[in-house]
């Protein structure tokens, strides 16, 4: 079986929703357990803020409570459903999600080339099973660079907290990174990164309505 076949098999296993199947799904992917362990040891999850697993487009959770709990247990992070660590959920939880959204599967951002190419990287730059730096480490580096140096950057205040939206381009297809501070006195923490088809529309929408977006909590 290919890596993608293995991943889809694990996602199907996790979909049963039981704690045992959640553990089995993660353990079936050695690169995933190794990545989570490495990120836990390095404190890498601290660069990321909080996210809900209830998708803002479908109003449905994209992961089961059991998978949510097991991911956070392995990462050594205390979290209460449905709000957890954004990096853990968006980088690793989305890989095991079978939820469909208007924009496709949650895992597509990491498996398809659009995001990597928009960030100026090779097409397979975000392959989750690649050797070397973990997916979370690669995503952290790319999202942080975009937030610092993106062509289009928008600083906002949401719920009295600093936030930033950054895009690789002013219009057309590109990549977006988003960060929100946990309190009014903190610096923004990463929430998500994904490809967009219309950067100008995304920027205009974010600029006109100061709301938490893209599953930030």
């Amino acid at each position: 079986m290919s890596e993608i076949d293995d991943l889809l098999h694990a996602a199907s296993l996790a979909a049963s929703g039981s704690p045992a199947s959640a553990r089995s799904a993660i353990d079936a992917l050695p690169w995933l357990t190794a990545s989570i362990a490495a990120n836990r040891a390095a404190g890498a999850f601290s660069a990321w803020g909080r996210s809900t697993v209830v998708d803002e487009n479908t109003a449905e959770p994209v992961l089961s409570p059991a998978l949510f709990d097991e991911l956070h247990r392995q990462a050594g992070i205390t979290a209460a459903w449905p709000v957890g660590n954004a990096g853990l959920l968006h980088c690793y939880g989305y890989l095991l999600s079978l939820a469909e959204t208007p924009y496709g599967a949650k895992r597509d951002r990491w498996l398809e080339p659009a995001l990597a190419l928009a960030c100026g990287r090779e097409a397979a730059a975000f392959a989750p099973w690649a050797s070397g730096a973990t997916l979370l480490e690669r995503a952290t580096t790319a999202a942080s660079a975009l937030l610092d140096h993106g062509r289009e950057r928008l600083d906002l205040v949401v719920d009295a907290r600093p936030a930033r939206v950054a895009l690789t381009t002013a219009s057309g297809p590109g990549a977006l990174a988003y960060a929100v501070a946990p309190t009014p006195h903190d610096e923004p923490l990463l929430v998500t990164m994904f490809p967009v088809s219309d950067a100008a529309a995304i920027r205009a929408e974010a600029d006109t309505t100061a709301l938490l977006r893209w599953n930030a909590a």
Side-chain angles (χ1 to χ4, degrees), residues 10-25:
S12 297
L13 183 61
S16 71
S18 73
S21 66
R23 288 192 296 272
S24 297

Side-chain angles (χ1 to χ4, degrees), residues 46-59:
S46 64
W48 294 76
R50 287 156 52 84
S51 175
T52 175
V53 295
V54 178
D55 185 75
E56 64 185 48
N57 294 292
T58 65

Side-chain angles (χ1 to χ4, degrees), residues 44-207:
F45 294 110
S46 64
W48 294 76
R50 287 156 52 84
S51 175
T52 175
V53 295
V54 178
D55 185 75
E56 64 185 48
N57 294 292
T58 65
E60 296 291 336
V62 299
L63 301 176
S64 71
L67 183 55
F68 174 98
D69 289 343
E70 182 62 20
L71 285 166
H72 284 88
R73 185 191 70 78
Q74 293 202 22
I77 298 170
T78 300
W81 169 270
V83 175
N85 181 268
L88 178 66
L89 295 172
H90 289 226
C91 291
Y92 300 138
Y94 282 4
L95 294 175
L96 295 171
S97 173
L98 294 181
E100 289 291 334
T101 77
Y103 306 101
K106 289 290 192 179
R107 73 176 69 84
D108 287 349
R109 70 192 64 185
W110 308 123
L111 303 185
E112 296 182 353
L115 178 61
L117 294 176
C119 291
R121 288 162 166 77
E122 295 181 356
F126 295 124
W129 42 78
S131 60
T134 67
L135 172 59
L136 183 111
E137 290 169 335
R138 285 173 275 147
T140 300
T141 297
S144 297
L146 181 50
L147 287 163
D148 288 341
H149 306 295
R151 176 172 176 180
E152 292 289 310
R153 290 181 291 167
L154 181 63
D155 290 308
L156 306 167
V157 177
V158 181
D159 291 345
R161 294 179 283 162
R164 173 173 284 186
V165 177
L167 294 145
T168 55
T169 182
S171 62
L176 175 146
Y178 182 48
V180 179
T183 77
H185 307 293
D186 291 322
E187 292 296 316
L189 296 176
L190 299 172
V191 172
T192 195
M193 181 173 66
F194 54 87
V196 299
S197 59
D198 187 346
I202 292 286
R203 191 192 191 288
E205 181 182 359
D207 200 14

